[in-house]
Amino acid sequence: MQWTPNKVTLLRVAVGFAAVCLFGRGAWANLAAVGLTVAAIVLDALDGHLARKKKMATPVGAQLDILGDRMIENVYFTYFAVVGMVSLWLPVLFFARGAVTDFLRGLAMKAGHSGWGANAMLQTWWGQALVASRWSRGLYAAMKCLCFCYLGLELALTRGPVALVGELAADVHAMIRVGAQVLTWMTAAFCLLRGLPVLVEGWKYIAGNVGPARGAKSASRNRIRDAKAAVQEAM
């Protein structure tokens, strides 16, 4: 079977879901889930490498890659929020940010813009640097991987009756918790920062769709008014 970027993306999503299914099923299962999490991040880099090397990048593939990112980050943060390791507002923030940016990207695609190249949605240098550059994508993937692995290791080592590490001093456990909060909210802040260019440059597509829609409604009302006037004159 020939591996394509889309197949790698689907495999990445499956590996991520398998990892989340293992969390909470014992210390060693948690460690296995951490290993699968690293594998999912590696696969995330692999699908982009295959797309560039084999020149198989397509608009559908780009959207599938984004969908895979959304599914993985949402399922991880939702799980850790459900078990009380992160704030419930964290997955809400990621879901809301993803929904808005994907909506704006969809409008841009209808207007004939792609996710990369000369016809990309993002035209400003700072927008391309924050969203499309390799350093930004790599840093964001590394932050998510570090965040998920940190929380997974905390779950395996310090939580539950079968934790690999015994009772910890209160101050040590507090330091571990502070580290988790700092890491997760730093990841969330960078997520919002990367979404800012899409929000700034995407509003013009909303305005472009709202204007014609209002014009069509106004023309429809005018036609109805003219028809009523014609009927009254005929009577």
Side-chain angles (χ1 to χ4, degrees):
M1 180 181 65
Q2 181 183 5
W3 282 100
T4 64
N6 291 348
K7 291 178 181 178
V8 175
T9 299
L10 294 175
L11 177 62
R12 168 166 61 97
V13 173
V15 170
F17 271 79
V20 174
C21 289
L22 287 175
F23 280 129
R25 299 182 180 275
W28 294 107
N30 291 335
L31 290 178
V34 171
L36 289 178
T37 299
V38 175
I41 299 300
V42 172
L43 290 172
D44 186 18
L46 180 60
D47 61 7
H49 174 73
L50 284 177
R52 291 188 299 269
K53 184 177 180 180
K54 296 186 176 182
K55 298 181 179 180
M56 301 176 68
T58 63
V60 173
Q63 291 302 310
L64 187 62
D65 182 59
I66 293 174
L67 177 62
D69 291 339
R70 298 287 182 268
M71 293 175 68
I72 287 180
E73 63 191 23
N74 285 330
V75 73
Y76 270 90
F77 282 125
T78 299
Y79 172 80
F80 288 121
V82 168
V83 298
M85 297 181 68
V86 301
S87 169
L88 180 62
W89 286 105
L90 199 68
V92 171
L93 183 149
F94 274 86
F95 177 81
R97 182 266 193 189
V100 172
T101 55
D102 292 346
F103 170 73
L104 294 175
R105 285 193 177 102
L107 292 181
M109 288 188 67
K110 288 184 178 179
H113 293 274
S114 63
W116 64 88
N119 197 35
M121 171 188 178
L122 300 175
Q123 298 294 324
T124 59
W125 67 267
W126 64 275
Q128 293 179 0
L130 278 176
V131 179
S133 63
R134 290 187 183 181
W135 72 264
S136 175
R137 292 171 59 86
L139 178 60
Y140 186 46
M143 291 180 71
K144 288 192 293 184
C145 181
L146 183 60
C147 185
F148 299 151
C149 290
Y150 185 101
L151 293 170
L153 286 173
E154 180 187 353
L155 188 65
L157 298 177
T158 66
R159 286 177 172 259
V162 291
L164 294 179
V165 177
E167 291 293 329
L168 295 175
D171 55 344
V172 175
H173 194 271
M175 288 179 59
I176 295 174
R177 283 279 73 221
V178 169
Q181 295 299 319
V182 170
L183 186 57
T184 52
W185 285 110
M186 283 181 60
T187 305
F190 192 56
C191 172
L192 291 177
L193 182 63
R194 294 185 74 245
L196 183 61
V198 181
L199 296 177
V200 171
E201 299 192 43
W203 286 116
K204 60 186 177 184
Y205 299 107
I206 293 181
N209 281 271
V210 170
R214 287 179 177 175
K217 289 181 179 179
S218 178
S220 177
R221 285 195 296 266
N222 291 337
R223 286 194 297 269
I224 293 173
R225 185 175 61 249
D226 292 342
K228 287 181 178 179
V231 171
Q232 291 174 355
E233 289 177 2
M235 294 175 64

